Amino acid sequence: MFCTPLVNFEEKLNSSLGEFAGWKMPMSYSSYQEEHLAVRTESAFFDLSHMGRLKIKGKIEEIENLVAKKVADAPQYSMIGPTAFLSDKAGFIDDVMTYKVSESEFLVVTNAINREKVISWIRKNSSLDVEDLTFGLVMIAIQGKKVWDYIEKPNLQPLQFKLNVNFEGQEVFLLSRSGWTGEDGVEFWAKPEAAEVILNKLVSKGVKPAGLMARDSLRQEMGFVLYGEDIGEEVNPVEARYWVYSLEKEFIGKQALVEILKSGVDKLRIGIKLPKNLRVIPRNGTRIKIMGEEIGKVTSSSYSPFLSRVIGMGYVNSRHFLLGGNADVEIRGRDYNIKLSDFPLLK
Amino acid sequence: MTEFKVGKYVLRNDLLYTETDEWIKIEEDNATVGITDYAQKKLRDIVGVDLPKKGQKVSSGEVVAVVESVKAAADIYTPLSGEIVEVNENLISSPELINKDPYGNGWLFKIKLSNKEETKKLLTPDMYTERVKGD
């Protein structure tokens, strides 16, 4: 199992470690609920060193052929994403963020679980040079409603990034205005020693350390998918309502995707909300029913301390895509009422 | 001092325990049941609880409650047989009490015992110490 290089630093902050996608990472510190609320009301940071980070170099035509969204026209130092690597059948190999460094060099962030698979897939489908940066650098996200009260605001528009810059007094390899929580903020990649200096400074200013559990509940409020739970190779972007492609160009999986768009889909991703203060969690695989008839299954669920209710997402038959309507989830043999909702669930 | 620590876990020497991490406080013919500090720390943030019904007859080893954490739903076994005479209603709206005060305000239910002999099968504080030691 891999382990974040910041483990000793984080243990001093009272981290509770757990396993995620083959990595030992902080799951929470004090309480995921407090960490979640810190992001929605103040500011918090996450260690994301488990995420795969790759540098790919070569002909842009080859890169374009791999990525479902158009990258050629994107400005330099901008992020294209989320986008995806798709299979021939238009299933998700992975959903990724791509960073355009130049016409021939891109950085890619993969899901931790898919890093090796993506490297093999790129090598199989192109002659691009792939360098794995995952283990030399840590990745940190600082996110929050009041994030700029705590850190220097970089001269970056959302989804722009810079390389080899000074951030909070330290050299970082990459600084981007991005995140995955629905709040503003930055992500940076840096050597562990530099990251630790920055994080110590953040802690002394009152930025809360947050673990992957808070990240999970935050992303569910926004309706963001998690690979392995909500999407996978058996799911296509149309079913997931995850608009990660550009049809004006060619890429692996496009032909299948076009066929899917023409024929329509049998299932669609939908949000769910349970009544306020009903404290049961429909886990992955829980049946969604209407009048006793199964219409779909839950893929993710969590208690949202911000909304004071259990939320989540799943897939229902496309004929039952009844936004705003009611259904039931079956938990331990009992049915509980849910509302079928659109994303973000936060509104 | 009834409270003592084994590593990072708090135990009490006035309670009995189970292999499935419930604690039991015996008071005459009644027993109060909760989950241990070790169990709540393993489950992490507790966000919900399904409690038994008052008046429900239960047999030792039976699943009578469920504690929902963000991580998973954990079955709670009644360590003793009898009738549920009280449940901790406060947990319905504030399940985090189990995290904050597992041996106090985070108790789960009380049973009027039908077979007091069963208490002999429970773990003593020393035996439970062995279970959590080294974890």
Side-chain angles (χ1 to χ4, degrees):
Chain A
M1 180 160 348
F2 303 118
C3 181
T4 170
L6 299 172
V7 64
N8 293 333
F9 167 76
E10 287 157 353
E11 278 186 335
K12 282 184 215 146
L13 298 176
N14 206 21
S15 65
S16 172
L17 296 172
E19 194 257 332
F20 179 75
W23 283 75
K24 208 170 170 186
M25 297 298 296
M27 291 293 139
S28 63
Y29 292 80
S30 51
S31 131
Y32 95 94
Q33 301 193 41
E34 287 172 20
E35 295 156 29
H36 180 120
L37 292 171
V39 173
R40 290 279 177 252
T41 58
E42 292 289 332
S43 180
F45 69 83
F46 299 88
D47 179 359
L48 307 175
S49 302
H50 59 297
M51 302 203 72
R53 278 150 285 145
L54 312 176
K55 185 192 278 186
I56 56 174
K57 281 171 152 176
K59 288 186 183 149
I60 190 132
E61 296 79 18
E62 283 206 274
I63 296 169
E64 199 76 272
N65 188 48
L66 298 183
V67 182
K69 219 174 236 178
K70 193 162 187 182
V71 296
D73 299 341
Q76 196 179 12
Y77 298 118
S78 67
M79 296 163 72
I80 303 111
T83 182
F85 297 137
L86 299 177
S87 69
D88 290 339
K89 292 177 182 162
F92 285 97
I93 299 293
D94 198 12
D95 63 324
V96 294
M97 290 297 291
T98 53
Y99 301 64
K100 187 174 184 179
V101 178
S102 72
E103 290 302 309
S104 59
E105 186 177 320
F106 284 73
L107 298 165
V108 174
V109 173
T110 77
N111 283 284
I113 199 172
N114 289 333
R115 182 179 52 83
E116 289 176 348
K117 182 178 79 169
V118 165
I119 293 171
S120 310
W121 185 82
I122 294 173
R123 288 189 173 139
K124 186 182 151 208
N125 289 291
S126 75
S127 60
L128 295 165
D129 180 50
V130 186
E131 186 185 346
D132 190 352
L133 305 179
T134 309
F135 297 95
L137 300 167
V138 297
M139 180 174 175
I140 305 291
I142 311 163
Q143 304 275 286
K145 183 65 78 193
K146 296 184 182 167
V147 69
W148 311 127
D149 291 352
Y150 295 92
I151 57 168
E152 56 189 75
K153 190 172 182 178
N155 185 20
L156 291 170
Q157 293 302 307
L159 299 183
Q160 281 186 342
F161 71 97
K162 287 178 185 172
L163 291 183
N164 301 311
V165 290
N166 191 290
F167 174 63
E168 296 287 333
Q170 296 294 309
E171 285 299 313
V172 300
F173 169 69
L174 181 147
L175 179 69
S176 58
R177 178 118 173 247
S178 57
W180 202 54
T181 59
E183 302 298 340
D184 211 345
V186 298
E187 292 173 302
F188 71 85
W189 308 4
K191 291 199 170 134
E193 308 78 53
E196 207 171 309
V197 175
I198 295 170
L199 296 180
N200 259 318
K201 198 170 159 186
L202 296 185
V203 171
S204 69
K205 286 183 186 173
V207 182
K208 220 174 169 55
L212 297 184
M213 284 161 116
R215 191 168 157 83
D216 194 46
S217 49
L218 288 158
R219 66 97 188 165
Q220 287 185 43
E221 284 179 347
M222 295 305 296
F224 298 158
V225 295
L226 178 64
Y227 197 97
E229 294 278 315
D230 312 304
I231 58 167
E233 289 194 37
E234 72 294 349
V235 178
N236 65 58
V238 185
E239 293 166 333
R241 297 195 295 135
Y242 196 16
W243 314 121
V244 288
Y245 52 84
S246 321
L247 292 178
E248 68 267 29
K249 64 150 198 170
E250 295 304 315
F251 55 93
I252 297 170
K254 183 187 169 186
Q255 203 181 341
L257 193 59
V258 167
E259 290 305 317
I260 290 163
L261 283 166
K262 284 188 199 163
S263 62
V265 288
D266 293 333
K267 61 177 181 182
L268 285 164
R269 188 169 65 96
I270 199 164
I272 60 169
K273 286 180 181 171
L274 274 71
K276 279 208 166 190
N277 290 320
L278 176 63
R279 305 290 200 100
V280 291
I281 298 185
R283 312 279 168 182
N284 181 294
T286 298
R287 302 200 300 159
I288 303 173
K289 307 190 300 188
I290 287 183
M291 311 297 282
E293 190 75 22
E294 183 173 327
I295 62 159
K297 287 208 165 87
V298 173
T299 51
S300 281
S301 180
S302 186
Y303 177 72
S304 157
F306 190 69
L307 300 172
S308 304
R309 69 196 322 158
V310 173
I311 57 164
M313 64 184 78
Y315 287 83
V316 294
N317 306 331
S318 47
R319 285 164 63 88
H320 288 99
F321 188 70
L322 308 169
L323 290 179
N326 289 300
D328 298 310
V329 281
E330 187 189 311
I331 303 169
R332 297 185 286 274
R334 271 175 65 186
D335 287 349
Y336 296 90
N337 190 256
I338 59 169
K339 182 165 259 190
L340 302 174
S341 307
D342 205 356
F343 304 115
L345 299 172
L346 197 56
K347 65 187 174 191
Chain B
M1 186 70 180
T2 52
E3 220 170 74
F4 64 100
K5 280 195 108 175
V6 180
K8 55 184 173 181
Y9 308 112
V10 176
L11 271 68
R12 290 179 62 118
N13 58 23
D14 59 341
L15 304 175
L16 295 168
Y17 300 89
T18 65
E19 288 285 352
T20 46
D21 305 309
E22 290 89 5
W23 59 259
I24 303 101
K25 185 171 191 180
I26 309 284
E27 286 165 308
E28 297 181 359
D29 289 339
N30 285 350
T32 306
V33 179
I35 66 167
T36 65
D37 183 53
Y38 171 81
Q40 70 83 11
K41 283 196 168 102
K42 287 278 166 197
L43 285 166
R44 299 198 181 100
D45 290 70
I46 290 166
V47 294
V49 58
D50 256 0
L51 293 168
K53 299 263 179 299
K54 207 169 153 180
Q56 188 179 329
K57 299 273 196 298
V58 296
S59 306
S60 83
E62 189 186 335
V63 174
V64 294
V66 176
V67 170
E68 293 264 14
S69 78
V70 178
K71 213 171 112 183
D75 288 339
I76 306 299
Y77 302 85
T78 176
L80 301 161
S81 306
E83 182 185 330
I84 303 288
V85 288
E86 208 177 332
V87 296
N88 188 355
E89 302 280 356
N90 291 333
L91 298 180
I92 306 294
S93 56
S94 305
E96 65 280 0
L97 289 172
I98 300 170
N99 292 119
K100 287 182 182 157
D101 190 10
Y103 299 117
N105 293 325
W107 65 277
L108 296 174
F109 52 88
K110 294 184 181 180
I111 311 173
K112 184 175 170 47
L113 304 179
S114 59
N115 180 4
K116 228 176 159 182
E117 284 292 298
E118 287 175 351
T119 57
K120 290 178 183 164
K121 290 188 284 183
L122 299 174
L123 305 181
T124 63
D126 282 348
M127 290 157 86
Y128 193 67
T129 296
E130 287 303 311
R131 170 165 163 69
V132 302
K133 206 159 71 179
D135 198 331

